[in-house]
Amino acid sequence: MPKAFSILFGALFTIATAYGLGRLLLQRLKPNFTREEQPLFAFVAGAPLLSLIIFLLACVHLIYDATFLVLGLVVFVLVWRTRAYRISGERLPALPRLWQWTFWPLYTIFAGIAVIYAMAPEWSPDGSSYHLGIVGHICRAHGFKLISSNMYSFLSQGLEMLFLSAWAFGRHSAAALVHCAFLLVLPLLLLRYGQRQGIPGAGAAAGLFVLISPVVMIDGASAYNDVAVACLLFAVFYLCEIDAPPALTGLLAGFCYALKYTAFLAVVYVVLRYAFQRRWRHILIACLPAACMVLPWVLRNWIWTGNPFAPLLNAYFPNPFVHASFEDDYARSMRWYVGLESLKDIPLELTVRGRILGGFLGPLFLLTPLALLGLRSKAGRRALLCAVLFSLTYAANIGTRFLIPALPFWSLALAAGLPSITLPVLVLAHAVLSFPGQPDRYCDPYGWRIDKIPFKQALRGKKVEAWLADKWPAYRLARMVEGATPQGSIIYSMSPIADSYTTREIRASFQSGPNEQLRDYLLTPLIAEFQPEQQLEFRFPAQSLTGLRVVQTASPEAGTPASRDVWSITEFRVLAQARELPRDDDWRLQARPSAWDVQKAFDNSPVTRWRSWAGIRPGMYVEVAFGHARTVDSVKLDVTRDQYAVRLKLEGRDASGQWRELSHEAKASGLAPPLGMRRMAMDKLKRDGVAYLLISDDDYKADDFREHADLWGIRQTAMVDNVRLYKLE
């Protein structure tokens, strides 16, 4: 039970601090809110302020429990002294009696289920891994620190800043409860909007449509951010509709970007809305607070990685932390999930199955096309416009939860378009079909949803560790790592694990550019195509040169498999009279792209290679500049065979500094890779700080690590389920 108190304290203290900051802001801006609207917008407006303050504290490494306590107490004192806690003003028109007896009982039931689930141990896939894993890392470091091994650490983390405050006192569940607060506020915003616009039934129904949706419930009760984005997007829309102060509207629009990159459309919407109304001064006023929310994350990434929008747009801002080739592959996989056979399957997957796209909205949303009926009313038209606008980013990731930000608008348009007499019936049917346990009758067994109400786990009446270990393999794995490795250990894993349940640094194979390099080292001894089995020799008349450059010239057609070839060079050898020139300290190496990796083509290691880390295009090159002119007559490149469309030419630079072509054709010959490549790969991992490997029996070539552990130089030290922990000897 004491743990339940710490969870509630962490969440409620954070929520109250945000609410207090919002009350102070509303007192200053004096928006024309009714009594019912003020508490909702106080929390929604205070959240970005608290998030920004915690961001600044993280920048100066002042993330401590005491810091959050002092911050909260200062806010409470200011609210008390300025009497900002007072609520006054007009009231909204009363909710019709039918909806009083429909909305509030259903809202109370499903809100209670969400709170109970949020208080239970956090075991959501992303929440327990990178969302709270990064929060834990920031807490241990007492502030921001570059996490080069996890691309998700570069995403904007506006909500994670609020999680930090809750985590300090109540850990995982307290953070989930903070997100749950946005889930509880969202349907109330829809309700109050309907009352203000004279469509109370549509507002109440839309609020329940969203709240009761199975994927919204479990997402909002987990340490995710999708529901918070939906809440803020609707709040921005609400503020524009009631002509609220532009500074407040801009603040919330900018916070949408801080919550999630794809929500940048909130800023676009505000600017377009004011531009359409020819309120140019409002655009300026709104953009200033929006910039205060956006720029901290942009500047942080620019300073850390050189890419202000990391982990995206790496083709335009090349960096060693996230490769453009990975971004292309990742984006492609998000646009078409494994197992999806046809676009025709998406509507049923989104609404009733939930097997492939990770959750489902509920059968009610099979009626979404009827939202077009909302075009008959002004409120419906505006809701439908925003529904379309905020759904534009869905094509980038077709998972069900990526529709959550637009769901309030689709729900409002649907409710505004349907006959009012049908809405209570639809709400009740939606509630019955979505109540925990009922979806088992029609959805996929693995559809993401709240299937049971975990009362005992929420109150910590049952031992949490045992419950999690029994229910969730990822937790067992994380705790095995924590118990079987010393503090400060770095573990390479082929797949992500529940990072938030271990203090060790986990380098999952795909989560960053450096991790991809580690994977390349491991796979090179196992995959013939990754080994330098071919040598390309460029011959030319002996001459004095100050530099040599190998240039990639092929330009394959977009969309073909060859267009995704990644050019690589294992070794770049310069020769004179059949003898390789020693690599002097005055050699200067350059490459485009991936200049940071060019040394790997000159290190005499068969398990390392320079890679372009981007799909091939003309003009890519690897260059060596000599400290002084050298007489050379050939260049040999040790290369792998996994680059079928690559075409090369050799250029030389003379004493005048001019580049000219030396050869456009290389003679290819076979090359026998050396023995002992497994041990060489382990040496490279150890030099990069890796002390342990996590290999599942289901991973590619897992049997080789198990059967040839002596050749790798590793020793199994622990195992849970089918995952083995190896120590590098």
Side-chain angles (χ1 to χ4, degrees):
M1 190 64 73
K3 181 60 178 177
F5 285 129
S6 67
I7 290 169
L8 287 171
F9 175 79
L12 293 176
F13 186 81
T14 302
I15 293 167
T17 303
Y19 179 81
L21 286 169
R23 296 298 312 178
L24 293 170
L25 179 63
L26 296 186
Q27 185 185 59
R28 177 60 63 90
L29 295 178
K30 294 181 172 57
N32 186 27
F33 289 146
T34 63
R35 296 174 67 90
E36 293 85 357
E37 292 169 330
Q38 288 178 37
L40 302 177
F41 279 100
F43 170 67
V44 170
L49 296 180
L50 180 58
S51 177
L52 181 60
I53 291 170
I54 295 176
F55 176 94
L56 297 175
L57 291 173
C59 288
V60 294
H61 286 255
L62 285 177
I63 300 299
Y64 293 93
D65 298 2
T67 307
F68 295 125
L69 282 171
V70 171
L71 173 61
L73 292 174
V74 169
V75 171
F76 300 154
V77 169
L78 289 175
V79 170
W80 181 262
R81 294 188 62 180
T82 60
R83 299 186 177 182
Y85 55 84
R86 290 183 172 181
I87 297 177
S88 60
E90 299 180 359
R91 287 190 174 276
L92 287 170
L95 192 64
R97 186 176 298 275
L98 172 64
W99 284 106
Q100 290 181 24
W101 287 99
T102 304
F103 181 88
W104 291 114
L106 290 176
Y107 175 84
T108 302
I109 291 170
F110 282 90
I113 293 171
V115 169
I116 292 169
Y117 191 88
M119 282 192 66
E122 174 67 28
W123 64 292
S124 61
D126 292 350
S128 66
S129 56
Y130 72 84
H131 281 296
L132 294 183
I134 292 168
V135 166
H137 187 282
I138 295 173
C139 273
R140 290 190 293 274
H142 303 295
F144 287 130
K145 183 180 179 181
L146 174 63
I147 309 175
S148 61
S149 59
N150 193 332
M151 67 176 183
Y152 298 113
S153 68
F154 304 133
L155 293 169
S156 56
Q157 295 155 8
L159 190 59
E160 283 79 357
M161 295 299 98
L162 303 183
F163 289 171
L164 270 171
S165 174
W167 172 279
F169 307 104
R171 292 298 187 263
H172 300 72
S173 298
L177 276 171
V178 169
H179 190 214
C180 189
F182 290 92
L183 172 65
L184 304 188
V185 167
L186 176 55
L188 298 180
L189 284 174
L190 282 156
L191 172 70
R192 301 312 184 192
Y193 176 79
Q195 289 178 265
R196 182 182 267 260
Q197 297 297 325
I199 50 171
L208 292 174
F209 286 172
V210 175
L211 172 65
I212 295 173
S213 172
V215 75
V216 174
M217 281 279 288
I218 193 167
D219 185 292
S222 304
Y224 278 53
N225 58 12
D226 307 284
V227 173
V229 172
C231 182
L232 267 294
L233 284 175
F234 190 79
V236 169
F237 167 77
Y238 197 138
L239 293 176
C240 288
E241 290 295 300
I242 65 174
D243 199 20
L248 180 60
T249 307
L251 178 74
L252 268 59
F255 189 50
C256 288
Y257 176 93
L259 291 174
K260 199 164 194 171
Y261 282 172
T262 51
F264 76 95
L265 289 171
V267 178
V268 174
Y269 173 75
V270 170
V271 171
L272 291 178
R273 183 72 182 262
Y274 287 145
F276 183 77
Q277 298 170 342
R278 298 183 180 276
R279 297 185 176 185
W280 312 116
R281 185 168 175 269
H282 278 41
I283 293 177
L284 178 61
I285 295 173
C287 284
L288 288 175
C292 291
M293 291 289 107
V294 172
L295 288 179
W297 302 104
V298 171
L299 293 174
R300 184 200 65 163
N301 283 347
W302 198 355
I303 293 169
W304 272 357
T305 71
N307 178 2
F309 307 107
L312 307 177
L313 303 182
N314 298 287
Y316 302 97
F317 302 95
N319 63 90
F321 302 104
V322 183
H323 298 139
S325 57
F326 166 77
E327 183 185 349
D328 289 342
D329 292 340
Y330 189 77
R332 192 176 299 108
S333 68
M334 294 298 100
R335 292 194 294 267
W336 193 277
Y337 279 29
V338 174
L340 186 67
E341 296 181 358
S342 170
L343 291 175
K344 296 178 182 178
D345 295 335
I346 290 181
L348 288 178
E349 282 292 334
L350 288 175
T351 54
V352 296
R353 292 176 184 165
R355 178 176 63 89
I356 297 172
L357 302 183
F360 57 101
L361 301 170
L364 168 77
F365 289 96
L366 287 169
L367 301 177
T368 300
L370 296 180
L372 292 173
L373 296 175
L375 292 171
R376 296 177 299 180
S377 66
K378 179 181 177 181
R381 287 193 295 273
R382 291 190 172 180
L384 197 57
L385 173 65
C386 287
V388 173
L389 174 65
F390 296 130
S391 296
L392 291 178
T393 56
Y394 175 67
N397 191 326
I398 61 172
T400 306
R401 67 186 180 89
F402 294 94
L403 272 178
I404 290 176
L407 198 62
F409 303 99
W410 288 113
S411 298
L412 184 59
L414 177 63
L418 292 173
S420 58
I421 195 172
T422 65
L423 295 180
V425 177
L426 290 175
V427 165
L428 290 173
H430 187 40
V432 170
L433 291 172
S434 301
F435 195 84
Q438 292 303 311
D440 298 351
R441 301 173 183 270
Y442 60 85
C443 78
D444 186 87
Y446 297 101
W448 194 42
R449 65 194 185 280
I450 297 177
D451 56 351
K452 294 180 180 178
I453 305 174
F455 291 104
K456 292 183 178 180
Q457 291 75 27
L459 297 175
R460 295 324 192 252
K462 184 176 181 179
K463 194 172 182 181
V464 170
E465 292 79 6
W467 182 79
L468 276 172
D470 178 65
K471 188 177 184 68
W472 195 33
Y475 177 80
R476 296 196 292 269
L477 177 57
R479 299 314 296 170
M480 181 267 282
V481 168
E482 187 75 6
T485 61
Q487 189 173 359
S489 297
I490 297 175
I491 297 97
Y492 173 84
S493 175
M494 290 291 189
S495 303
I497 73 168
D499 298 49
S500 65
Y501 285 105
T502 176
T503 59
R504 311 300 185 250
E505 181 181 343
I506 308 298
R507 298 187 178 179
S509 60
F510 72 88
Q511 286 187 342
S512 75
N515 296 1
E516 282 195 281
Q517 292 278 16
L518 298 176
R519 181 179 62 187
D520 215 37
Y521 301 156
L522 281 178
L523 294 182
T524 296
L526 301 174
I527 302 177
E529 285 191 328
F530 284 15
Q531 298 170 8
E533 293 186 331
Q534 189 177 58
Q535 189 170 76
L536 304 179
E537 183 177 11
F538 292 95
R539 293 182 179 177
F540 51 90
Q543 52 195 286
S544 179
L545 298 171
T546 60
L548 289 164
R549 175 190 288 173
V550 176
V551 182
Q552 201 288 128
T553 61
S555 181
E557 295 182 7
T560 64
S563 69
R564 298 196 292 273
D565 271 4
V566 174
W567 179 31
S568 68
I569 298 176
T570 303
E571 285 301 318
F572 188 123
R573 307 182 189 279
V574 182
L575 297 91
Q577 297 181 350
R579 297 182 62 183
E580 183 178 357
L581 271 62
R583 294 158 180 171
D584 291 345
D585 292 338
D586 61 357
W587 287 20
R588 295 294 176 263
L589 310 177
Q590 185 57 266
R592 190 179 68 182
S594 301
W596 50 86
D597 274 344
V598 68
Q599 181 61 45
K600 290 182 171 62
F602 295 84
D603 63 356
N604 275 322
S605 172
V607 297
T608 66
R609 50 177 169 162
W610 170 86
R611 303 187 75 180
S612 62
W613 295 116
I616 60 172
R617 62 179 184 272
M620 291 179 169
Y621 66 82
V622 174
E623 173 188 316
V624 53
F626 308 125
H628 55 276
R630 303 289 183 96
T631 299
V632 296
D633 57 20
S634 64
V635 167
K636 291 183 178 180
L637 304 178
D638 297 351
V639 297
T640 60
R641 297 183 184 275
D642 59 340
Q643 41 189 327
Y644 308 101
V646 170
R647 300 294 180 268
L648 305 176
K649 68 177 181 179
L650 181 68
E651 295 180 348
R653 187 177 65 187
D654 56 27
S656 67
Q658 297 297 314
W659 289 97
R660 53 189 174 83
E661 184 176 314
L662 299 176
S663 175
H664 64 273
E665 186 174 353
K667 179 182 178 182
S669 59
L671 192 65
L675 299 175
M677 293 183 71
R678 291 181 178 87
R679 188 60 66 96
M680 294 179 194
M682 288 299 102
D683 289 342
K684 292 299 297 182
L685 263 70
K686 285 193 285 187
R687 290 179 188 177
D688 285 347
V690 176
Y692 293 87
L693 299 179
L694 269 181
I695 307 292
S696 166
D697 289 347
D698 297 327
D699 288 334
Y700 180 73
K701 296 283 189 180
D703 56 336
D704 195 274
F705 294 94
R706 186 171 62 252
E707 296 170 5
H708 302 294
D710 54 336
L711 297 179
W712 285 100
I714 58 178
R715 175 173 54 86
Q716 182 177 324
T717 59
M719 181 177 180
V720 63
D721 299 325
N722 67 337
V723 183
R724 303 169 190 269
L725 180 71
Y726 295 99
K727 187 179 189 307
L728 278 60
E729 296 290 287

